């Protein structure tokens, strides 16, 4: 296992500040829907002795390491870790007999456990199997996508999920090269992507394969679909006074979160009526001004946090 120092939770202070009031009461339940290495959850368990944690993660390596960290901190008796994707949240809470919870956290970034272990196939910076499955038992890997999708579908994935300007060029190159030999390693794909992008473009914007690898990871793990299903379910599970915080790392995720929270914070009284009707009033109060990013001090110690944004809201009433 990696040493604990490897894991640096992003926006840790701000997240604990946002969720703290909802976690303070004895018996409060925090759902960490993307447990990872449990950095945020550990901080909240440390700060609130009466807090109970329900942690979801599809990655068995992440769950094992999170369990070890939680146990080492003396909180094992207050934590329930569940092998699940976050859109399974309603079923998990039902099985645990929890009709409502006080706090929900989504940290949608790829954990250091996944990025820093080449054998997981998430990183374009080193060589490893072309995998990218957060659940290693899932049926479809990145190699399956790269080697079987038609060129037009590959281009769509890269353009939509990676916001890649040169999606068609990259897809055509992949199809041409896989006919010679199927792709099985990350390094070969990263080199092909680099060679498919004009030299002038490669000089800026980070690694040329960053957007392609992001797109494949999202496709393999159905990340945006799961988020669209999970967010409404998480909001439904929040008790009045409960809080949700969501950390995103790219605009596609952030747009979904922004729209979902904004809808809950909007008065839905029909515009033709002369007065606002309480039953159509907002069910959420926004706690952040837009998506809040890390400060200079955090960026100096954790450059991976640069694209992180957190949005949060509090449930102020039950829906009619």
């Amino acid at each position: 296992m990696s040493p604990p120092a490897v894991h640096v939770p992003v926006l840790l202070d701000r997240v604990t500040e946002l969720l703290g009031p909802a976690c303070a009461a004895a018996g409060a339940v925090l759902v960490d829907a993307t447990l990872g290495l449990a950095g945020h959850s550990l901080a909240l368990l440390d700060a609130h002795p009466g807090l109970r944690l329900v942690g979801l993660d599809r990655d068995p390596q992440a769950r094992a390491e999170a369990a070890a960290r939680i146990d080492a901190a003396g909180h094992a008796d207050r934590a329930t870790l569940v092998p699940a994707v976050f859109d399974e949240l309603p079923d998990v809470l039902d099985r645990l007999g929890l009709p409502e919870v006080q706090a929900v956290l989504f940290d949608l970034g790829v954990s250091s456990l996944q990025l820093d272990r080449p054998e997981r196939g998430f990183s374009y910076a080193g060589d490893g199997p072309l995998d990218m499955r957060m659940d290693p038992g899932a049926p479809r890997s990145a190699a399956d996508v790269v080697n079987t999708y038609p060129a037009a579908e590959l281009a769509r994935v890269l353009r939509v999920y990676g916001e890649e300007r040169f999606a068609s060029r990259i897809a055509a190159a992949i199809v041409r090269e896989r006919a010679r030999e199927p792709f099985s390693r990350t390094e070969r794909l990263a080199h092909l992507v680099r060679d498919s992008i004009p030299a002038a473009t490669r000089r800026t914007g980070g690694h040329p394969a960053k957007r392609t690898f992001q797109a494949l990871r999202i496709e393999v793990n159905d990340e945006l679909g799961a988020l669209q299903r999970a967010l409404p379910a998480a909001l439904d599970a929040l008790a009045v006074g409960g809080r949700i915080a969501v950390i995103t790392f790219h605009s596609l995720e952030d747009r979904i979160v922004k729209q979902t929270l904004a809808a809950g914070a909007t008065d839905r009284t029909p515009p033709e009526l002369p007065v606002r009707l309480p039953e159509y009033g907002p069910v959420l109060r926004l706690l952040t001004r837009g998506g809040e990013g890390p400060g200079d001090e955090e960026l100096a110690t954790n450059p991976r946090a640069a694209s992180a944004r957190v949005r949060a809201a509090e449930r102020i009433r039950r829906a009619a």
Side-chain angles (χ1 to χ4, degrees), residues 59-248:
D59 187 332
Q61 290 184 8
R63 287 197 312 275
E65 188 152 342
R69 291 167 181 266
I70 291 168
D71 183 56
H75 302 315
D77 60 332
R78 294 195 280 136
T80 302
L81 308 190
V82 184
V85 185
F86 47 71
D87 63 351
E88 299 175 66
L89 186 148
D91 292 337
V92 171
L93 296 183
D94 186 58
R95 292 199 305 269
L96 295 175
L98 294 169
E100 60 182 23
V101 301
Q102 284 65 47
V104 179
L105 171 65
F106 290 86
D107 177 358
L108 300 174
V110 182
S111 76
S112 54
L113 175 76
Q114 294 159 339
L115 280 177
D116 295 338
R117 296 186 178 177
E119 68 271 17
R120 298 300 301 274
F122 283 91
S123 178
Y124 44 78
D127 193 30
L130 189 56
D131 194 317
M132 301 192 196
R133 290 173 294 178
M134 291 183 178
D135 175 0
R140 181 180 60 185
S141 70
D144 295 324
V145 173
V146 168
N147 290 320
T148 65
Y149 278 29
E153 181 63 7
L154 261 180
R156 183 197 68 81
V157 168
L158 301 187
R159 183 172 56 253
V160 175
Y161 296 158
E163 301 178 291
E164 173 57 71
R165 283 193 296 153
F166 302 101
S168 295
R169 290 176 60 159
I170 295 168
I174 288 173
V175 170
R176 184 172 61 250
E177 283 300 305
R178 78 188 186 191
R180 184 175 62 84
E181 179 186 352
F183 286 86
S184 62
R185 308 289 295 181
T186 57
E187 188 172 58
R188 181 181 170 213
L189 179 62
H191 286 167
L192 177 139
V193 173
R194 181 185 182 281
D195 293 343
S196 301
I197 293 175
T201 304
R202 295 200 301 259
R203 298 191 189 104
T204 59
H207 196 290
K210 178 179 179 180
R211 292 177 296 277
T212 292
F213 273 61
Q214 171 185 296
L216 291 173
R217 192 198 78 224
I218 290 172
E219 174 70 7
V220 166
N221 297 290
D222 187 27
E223 292 178 28
L224 297 184
L227 180 60
Q228 288 172 321
R229 295 185 293 272
L231 268 182
L235 293 172
D236 286 345
L238 274 185
V240 174
R243 293 185 170 201
I244 184 171
V246 187
I247 303 172
T248 63

